[in-house]
Amino acid sequence: MTIKYKNPYGDSSFETFNKENVAFVDKTGFIEVIDHLDTKYPVLLRPRRFGKTTFVQMLLCFYDISFKDKYNEIFKGTNIIGKNLPTHNTYHVINFDFSGVSGDNSKDLISNFNHKLAEAFTNFNRRYPDFNFNCEQEELSPSAFIGKFFSHYEMYAKAKNLYILIDEYDNFANDVLSNNRDLFKTITQSNGFLKDFYKTIKTFTNTVVAKTFITGVSSVSLDSLTSGFNIAENVTCDPNLNEFAGFTKDELIGLIEKLVDTKALNTTAENIAEIMRQAYNGYAFCPEAKHTLFNSSMCLNYIDYISLKKTIENPERVLDPACAFDKSKVTDIISFTPKNVLKLVASEFENTGEIVISELAQSINLNQLEQYDLQTSLSVLYYLGYLTIKNDGVGSRICLTYPNKMMKYMFELCFINVLIPKLEDDENCIFDITSMLRGDNSLDSFIDSVTEYLSLRITNQHLLGFNENTIKVLVRAKLEDLKMLSVNTEQKLTVPMVGEKFADLVVDNQKGTYYLFEFKYFSKAKAQQQPSILQEKIAEATEQINCYKKALEFEGKTLYSYIAIFESINCVHFEQV
């Protein structure tokens, strides 16, 4: 099979997709949805690397007058082409992209912000040579700089016909928040340059600005935007826009069919999509969502990987480096949250896998909050993509859960690291994996090193929230830190005559040998109350591990399987089964 299409991974230049035979998911139907929104100034938030920039570039090609002669070429074969909407190529569009703005102080931030403005103005000059705006005015404040542009446009167009696109409105602010909270407060306060910038845009909606479209990741900076530009409306949870970014399963299958030689891999596009589902799917952005969504960048990266390697791989091992969900982001959020709130969240997720709040925080003002409350903390985690909305069928409340296995693990690990802090020399506490690396089956020294690590890290005050899941997550994290083994928790297994099962821990030494673990846990108090608990846990774990060993995933492979029973932090029974 000859692959005729190019993978759009890392490419958001919608203008050239058709011309260069780049495969893409047709999202043009959402242009009509945007045209019919009740607001002319929507704000639409989605997690990082979800396809927002490509969508913004599509809007630029559709609305901007300078693309009118290329309309049929650019939109050939799309849903929008035959509708001939009256809005196509009728506006002058200015497109701002604030990703990449950085700085260690206000002066540097403003300078870099102005540089991004100048880039957009230069691009506008290029599309409209007779506009001839002087872009070399970066010594001005951002509000004065854009004000000069608006005044120049007013003389040029003599009409209210400017469409402003702002991509990644909060990108730099979120990075500043992670590294310097005081600086974040400075730039977002009532007299900060961000509020002034958006106030200027609002002022010129009376004369030159016809519409705006703003994308970003979270609502942490939205207070700065909405205070200065209070006519903007957050439409993030509009059910009609749920699928504007990301891929549905059908959309993903269509892409795979164009980009992967499935016959050479002896599989189908449907099967590849199913393999990707647990790691990359599960996102929904309103309670009424009809479909969950795959993270588009992660999917395209995986498709690129299997096409290049010509083999199917576990998606959890193929993490998009550009998408790498930074654990520090979750840790930052958690560090701003009181311990009693964290324990409540951890308990709810441990018991039910979900948590309910009345509504998402629409804008979050960290100049007024020293710590996140429950609603704020969970809302930020949702906006960043670590949690997602689950339709539980109960009214208008918001039920939040993990979107997929990968996010579940990261979420749990970050919570554990805050509630049970790492040791000062944690990196020097190394598990003994010598036998695993050799492919041997004697792992007594490994489990001894696990017990020793837990005894050093877990104190009496930590035992209240300590459980089997804590053991699994900590063991996986320590093994992954060594970067010598492939490790997976809750790995899906297909057992003949039984169905799907999920193993606690599977370790691949990447030399042909697999290690399968089943963990059980009970407290010292439980042992005193129920003397038979150890034998019951041994029997339960043995039955489970014997079932998992029959999984199709282990056929023809060298497999060693073990049960490990913990009383508190001590492994009281370890056995190869």
Side-chain angles (χ1 to χ4, degrees), residues 118-272:
E119 284 182 355
F121 299 151
T122 300
N123 182 272
F124 193 88
N125 279 342
R126 191 177 299 119
R127 283 181 281 125
Y128 300 99
D130 56 334
F131 184 65
N132 198 29
F133 176 69
N134 178 14
C135 300
E136 297 181 3
Q137 303 182 67
E138 295 185 38
E139 73 283 355
L140 299 172
S141 69
S143 59
F145 199 6
I146 196 170
K148 290 271 189 181
F149 174 83
F150 288 150
S151 297
H152 192 80
Y153 178 83
E154 190 171 10
M155 296 294 294
Y156 172 79
K158 297 180 173 60
K160 184 179 175 180
N161 199 45
L162 187 66
Y163 202 139
I164 298 178
L165 302 177
I166 299 179
D167 190 21
E168 301 286 5
Y169 92 94
D170 61 337
N171 181 281
F172 70 97
N174 288 336
D175 287 342
V176 170
L177 175 60
S178 295
N179 299 306
N180 189 335
R181 192 173 184 184
D182 289 337
L183 179 56
F184 177 87
K185 288 184 174 184
T186 298
I187 66 174
T188 58
Q189 64 189 359
S190 58
N191 60 346
F193 80 86
L194 278 179
K195 277 189 172 66
D196 287 344
F197 175 77
Y198 287 108
K199 279 180 185 177
T200 304
I201 295 177
K202 180 188 174 184
T203 299
F204 280 89
T205 57
N206 296 319
T207 53
V208 299
V209 178
K211 299 184 76 172
T212 65
F213 182 85
I214 300 173
T215 76
V217 171
S218 81
S219 62
V220 172
S221 306
L222 200 55
D223 182 73
S224 298
L225 190 159
T226 53
S227 294
F229 189 52
N230 56 14
I231 53 178
E233 182 177 339
N234 186 352
V235 297
T236 297
C237 294
D238 186 324
N240 296 312
L241 290 167
N242 181 63
E243 298 160 26
F244 98 93
F247 301 149
T248 65
K249 185 174 182 180
D250 287 344
E251 289 171 340
L252 177 59
I253 289 171
L255 270 181
I256 294 170
E257 289 173 342
K258 290 182 177 180
L259 295 170
V260 179
D261 186 349
T262 53
K263 287 185 179 179
L265 294 174
N266 194 28
T267 188
T268 65
E270 289 80 2
N271 186 50
I272 294 174

Side-chain angles (χ1 to χ4, degrees), residues 21 34 50 71 134 146 151 154 178 219 301 332 435 490 554 556 561 571:
N21 243 25
I34 291 169
F50 227 78
Y71 176 74
N134 178 14
I146 196 170
S151 297
E154 190 171 10
S178 295
S219 62
N301 178 61
D332 288 340
S435 293
E490 298 183 26
F554 299 130
S561 53
C571 183

Side-chain angles (χ1 to χ4, degrees), residues 69 91 109 119 130 140 148 282 284-285 309 315 327 375 377 393 419 454 461-462 518 529 533 550:
D69 292 341
Y91 294 94
L109 275 176
E119 284 182 355
D130 56 334
L140 299 172
K148 290 271 189 181
F285 300 99
K309 300 291 185 180
K327 294 177 186 177
Q375 181 196 36
S377 179
L419 293 172
L454 294 178
Q461 67 177 1
H462 299 139
E518 179 64 25
Q529 297 166 4
I533 186 70
K550 300 173 185 176

